[in-house]
């Protein structure tokens, strides 16, 4: 099958003149479309969706809006413009020229990072594939599909790197990116969070708030890479990622707003009374938040990591916003890491800074997560209620790193396994919570109408009104 590259695959990598890449993509593209039809959003493939498509990287072209059927979305390949003077920004090779090709000695480690990043993109589409059937409005349905097609584009971005720079191994890895599946017993996705089901919209908003934000920080770290094509690819992906976190932040904000309206109306914050009115009580929101925040923290890797140290030393993966640090070598600094002391308490271990890079990135992420919490709490306080949402401690419910296997309460105090089990129903979504939230998931498809458990957004997409046919259902 011949592809008209400019027409079918908008790109700024001169695809039309690269025969090797063309051949690889001619093989991969039909497989991708088959995957999209089989594992992407169920149904809705014939509906016209008001989507943003990137057709170039400049201010005008990166956000072109129009009604498109999802399978006809133009999944393009874009890298931020090359800076011919760009130098390595950290690690042992600091100040030398960045790499335009993959150095032989870093080939397998770079491939592994690109595969791990690439694997999350189709995984999230698979996790969200049934949500279209229970969207609270056409506005939300459109946002879901926008997120889905862009995750598909981010997969293309990683597949471009694998095909373009890693030869046969890269092509094989690109195939496997379509072969693993979220939640599969035999062939699951690589990182655990991407195997968690997302079967309701509260989870979707938590995922886009917390897990997409991990994506932001991982992409920022890779945008510092000395492998220039990877850095430029991630820089451009970050422009699209912002919308995904917007969906999460405004989504949770709208849930909270609606709940507050109900609480004021009935003059009570009693969870049962709030549920009788069809809204989601704030303690349930907190339990979902605890679940998705703690799960997303694991995506940063181990807090003490020799892998992270060598990525940094070799210039492969940096710290987000590396330019803000004074010392780009981080050779003699240390990091004071709190770890369990094995006796029910906390000890402090002094780590070489390079080994703590996953933790440094995780802490920057936690600070970023606080922004939304502060905003939602302001709304709650303004409505006259004393409840405050909170991020749990980074020690809570961890499966990766020093705190894996050490039960703590949400404040991070080590407790016994029995005490954790006893507290579980207060801290994490219960079967009953999930069943209640699921019971609210009835589709609303009338233009401008919203489900009763969520407030309308403040404004529409791309200056369109909120009552707008964001999806023309087929
Ligand atoms: N689950 O030394 P460590 C996104 C393994 S999200 C399972 O810390 P490393 C998106 C690890 O493989 C962003 N296993 O490892 C969001 C290692 O195994 P080996 C995705 C885990 O490699 C929403 C061992 O534990 N981006 O974009 O330094 C929608 C020791 O750990 C996990 C990336 O992931 C885990 N959570 O750090 C759509 C960036 N964590 O080698 C998209 C690329 C660790 O001992 N990936 N392990 O067998 C990386 O930078 C790194 O692979 C990680 C792990 C930060 C993930």
């Amino acid at each position: 099958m011949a592809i008209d590259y400019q027409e079918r695959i908008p790109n700024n990598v001169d695809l039309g003149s690269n025969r090797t890449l063309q051949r690889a993509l001619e093989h991969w593209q039909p497989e991708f479309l088959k995957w999209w039809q089989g594992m992407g959003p169920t149904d809705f493939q014939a509906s016209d969706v008001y989507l943003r498509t990137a057709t170039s990287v400049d201010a005008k072209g990166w956000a072109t809006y129009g009604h498109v059927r999802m399978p006809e979305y133009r999944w393009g390949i874009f890298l931020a413009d090359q800076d011919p003077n760009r130098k390595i920004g950290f690690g042992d090779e600091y100040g030398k020229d960045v790499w335009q090709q993959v150095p032989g000695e870093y080939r397998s480690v770079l491939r592994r990072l690109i595969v791990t990043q690439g694997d999350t993109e189709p995984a999230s589409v698979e996790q969200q594939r049934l949500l279209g059937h229970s969207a609270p409005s056409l506005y939300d349905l459109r946002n879901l599909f926008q997120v889905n097609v862009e995750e598909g584009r981010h997969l293309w971005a990683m597949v471009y790197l694998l095909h373009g720079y890693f030869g046969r191994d890269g092509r094989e890895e690109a195939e496997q990116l379509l072969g693993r599946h979220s939640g599969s017993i035999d062939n699951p996705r690589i990182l655990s969070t991407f195997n968690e089901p997302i079967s309701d919209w509260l989870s979707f908003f938590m995922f886009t708030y917390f897990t997409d934000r991990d994506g932001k920080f991982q992409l920022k770290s890779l945008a510092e890479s000395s492998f220039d094509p990877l850095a430029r690819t991630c820089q451009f992906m970050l422009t699209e990622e912002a919308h995904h976190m917007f969906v999460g932040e405004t989504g949770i904000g709208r849930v909270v707003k609606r709940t507050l309206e109900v609480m004021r109306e009935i003059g009570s914050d009693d969870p049962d009374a709030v549920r009788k009115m069809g809204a989601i009580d704030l303690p349930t929101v907190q339990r979902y938040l605890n679940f998705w925040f703690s799960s997303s923290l694991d995506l940063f890797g181990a807090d003490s990591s020799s892998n992270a140290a060598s990525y940094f030393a070799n210039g492969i993966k940096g710290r987000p916003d590396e330019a803000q640090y004074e010392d780009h070598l981080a050779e003699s600094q240390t990091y004071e890491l709190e770890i369990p002391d094995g006796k029910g308490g906390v000890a402090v271990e002094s780590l070489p800074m390079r080994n703590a890079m996953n933790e440094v990135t995780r802490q920057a992420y936690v600070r970023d997560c606080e922004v939304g919490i502060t905003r939602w709490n302001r709304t709650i306080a303004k409505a006259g209620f004393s409840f405050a949402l909170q991020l749990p401690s980074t020690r809570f419910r961890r499966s990766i790193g020093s705190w894996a296997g050490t039960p703590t309460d949400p404040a991070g105090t080590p407790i016994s396994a029995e005490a954790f089990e006893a507290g579980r129903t207060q801290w994490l979504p219960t079967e009953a919570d999930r069943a209640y939230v699921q019971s609210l998931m009835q589709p609303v498809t009338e233009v401008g109408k919203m489900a009763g458990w969520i407030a309308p957004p403040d404004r529409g997409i791309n200056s369109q009104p909120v009552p707008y046919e964001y999806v023309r259902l087929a």
Side-chain angles (χ1 to χ4, degrees), residues 82-139:
Q82 185 171 355
D83 168 3
N85 299 317
R86 184 168 174 252
K87 304 288 179 211
I88 295 176
F90 60 91
D92 295 343
E93 306 297 313
Y94 179 73
K96 297 193 182 155
D97 286 341
V98 291
W99 319 318
Q100 297 307 330
Q101 291 297 331
V102 181
E105 66 270 40
Y106 304 139
R107 198 180 164 82
S108 78
V109 66
L110 269 166
R111 192 185 62 210
R112 195 182 129 200
L113 288 177
I114 292 168
V115 166
T116 309
Q117 177 63 46
D119 190 71
T120 64
E121 316 289 0
S124 68
V125 176
E126 292 171 353
Q127 285 172 291
Q128 297 162 16
R129 65 193 298 264
L130 295 173
L131 288 177
H133 293 288
S134 58
S137 70
L138 289 182
Y139 165 91

Side-chain angles (χ1 to χ4, degrees), residues 292-307:
W292 284 104
F293 176 67
S294 53
S295 178
S296 303
L297 287 173
D298 280 340
L299 296 173
F300 289 82
D303 38 15
S304 165
S305 165
S306 56
N307 287 348

Side-chain angles (χ1 to χ4, degrees), residues 112-113 116-117 120-121 124 151 190-192 194 207 211-212 214-215 218 298-302 305 307-308 311 317 358 400:
R112 195 182 129 200
L113 288 177
T116 309
Q117 177 63 46
T120 64
E121 316 289 0
S124 68
E151 300 303 5
I190 297 170
L191 300 172
S192 42
F194 294 89
F207 180 91
T211 313
D212 277 277
D214 163 60
Q218 295 298 334
D298 280 340
L299 296 173
F300 289 82
S305 165
N307 287 348
Y311 300 155
K317 187 182 174 198
N358 286 344
I400 299 282

Side-chain angles (χ1 to χ4, degrees), residues 125-437:
V125 176
E126 292 171 353
Q127 285 172 291
Q128 297 162 16
R129 65 193 298 264
L130 295 173
L131 288 177
H133 293 288
S134 58
S137 70
L138 289 182
Y139 165 91
D140 291 288
L141 186 61
R142 176 262 167 217
N143 281 346
L144 167 72
F145 294 154
Q146 181 72 59
V147 168
N148 291 163
V149 293
E150 283 176 355
E151 300 303 5
R153 205 200 69 72
H154 293 177
L155 169 63
W156 273 82
M158 292 300 124
V159 164
Y160 159 72
L161 293 172
L162 290 170
H163 280 169
Y165 295 90
F166 292 88
R168 201 167 80 173
D169 302 352
R171 290 195 291 280
E172 283 171 11
E173 293 285 9
E175 246 169 67
Q176 289 171 32
L177 286 172
L178 300 174
R180 286 183 290 272
H181 295 308
S182 178
S184 160
I185 305 284
D186 305 325
N187 201 7
R189 291 298 177 181
I190 297 170
L191 300 172
S192 42
T193 310
F194 294 89
N195 288 304
E196 298 285 358
I198 303 181
S199 44
D200 63 72
W201 279 74
L202 183 57
S203 297
F204 172 64
F205 292 138
M206 293 290 171
F207 180 91
T208 42
Y209 188 80
F210 289 111
T211 313
D212 277 277
R213 194 173 306 274
D214 163 60
K216 168 181 162 181
F217 281 81
Q218 295 298 334
L219 291 175
K220 271 173 168 282
S221 300
L222 295 173
E224 301 289 340
S225 180
S226 310
F227 177 39
D228 203 41
L230 172 62
R232 290 164 56 210
T233 301
C234 292
Q235 281 163 28
F236 184 67
M237 287 163 76
L238 281 162
T239 54
E240 291 169 325
E241 202 63 41
H243 174 70
H244 306 188
M245 286 174 291
F246 161 88
V247 168
E249 177 166 351
T250 53
I252 299 171
R254 289 161 56 210
V255 170
V256 169
K257 186 172 171 196
R258 177 67 194 133
T259 302
L260 292 169
E261 282 168 11
V262 164
M263 282 160 63
R264 290 184 81 156
E265 201 179 312
I266 60 177
S268 164
D269 60 1
D270 174 45
D272 289 336
V274 170
R275 287 188 181 192
K276 279 211 183 82
M277 298 292 289
I280 305 178
D281 51 291
L282 296 180
T284 297
V285 174
Q286 177 70 59
R287 287 193 286 276
Y288 272 69
L289 184 159
N290 290 347
F291 178 88
W292 284 104
F293 176 67
S294 53
S295 178
S296 303
L297 287 173
D298 280 340
L299 296 173
F300 289 82
D303 38 15
S304 165
S305 165
S306 56
N307 287 348
S310 62
Y311 300 155
F312 189 87
N314 298 331
I316 287 168
K317 187 182 174 198
R319 288 171 287 196
D321 306 305
E322 182 62 41
Q324 76 180 5
Y325 295 93
E326 268 172 32
D327 174 2
H328 300 297
L329 303 186
E331 244 172 341
S332 50
Q333 300 161 339
T334 53
Y335 187 94
E336 304 297 296
L337 184 70
E338 289 183 346
I339 56 169
D341 67 1
K343 294 177 283 188
V346 181
V348 175
E349 186 187 12
S350 194
L351 276 188
M353 182 60 86
R354 288 181 175 188
N355 291 61
M357 289 308 176
N358 286 344
E359 190 59 22
V360 169
T361 306
R362 186 171 12 247
Q363 292 304 329
Y365 164 83
V366 173
R367 289 192 291 278
D368 206 48
C369 287
E370 288 285 3
V371 175
I373 307 279
T374 307
R375 195 164 296 155
W376 304 323
N377 283 341
R378 215 176 292 138
T379 329
I380 300 174
K382 243 199 209 153
F385 293 96
S386 61
F387 192 92
L389 293 164
Q390 259 181 354
L391 293 180
S393 161
T394 55
R395 301 174 194 163
F396 177 68
R397 203 182 78 97
R398 294 295 304 282
S399 302
I400 299 282
S402 307
W403 289 91
T406 300
T408 78
D409 65 13
T413 309
I415 55 176
S416 67
E418 295 74 35
F420 183 85
E421 282 313 313
R424 181 186 280 278
T425 56
Q426 289 167 51
W427 302 332
L428 293 165
T430 62
E431 284 306 311
D433 291 338
R434 290 192 188 279
Y436 173 67
V437 171

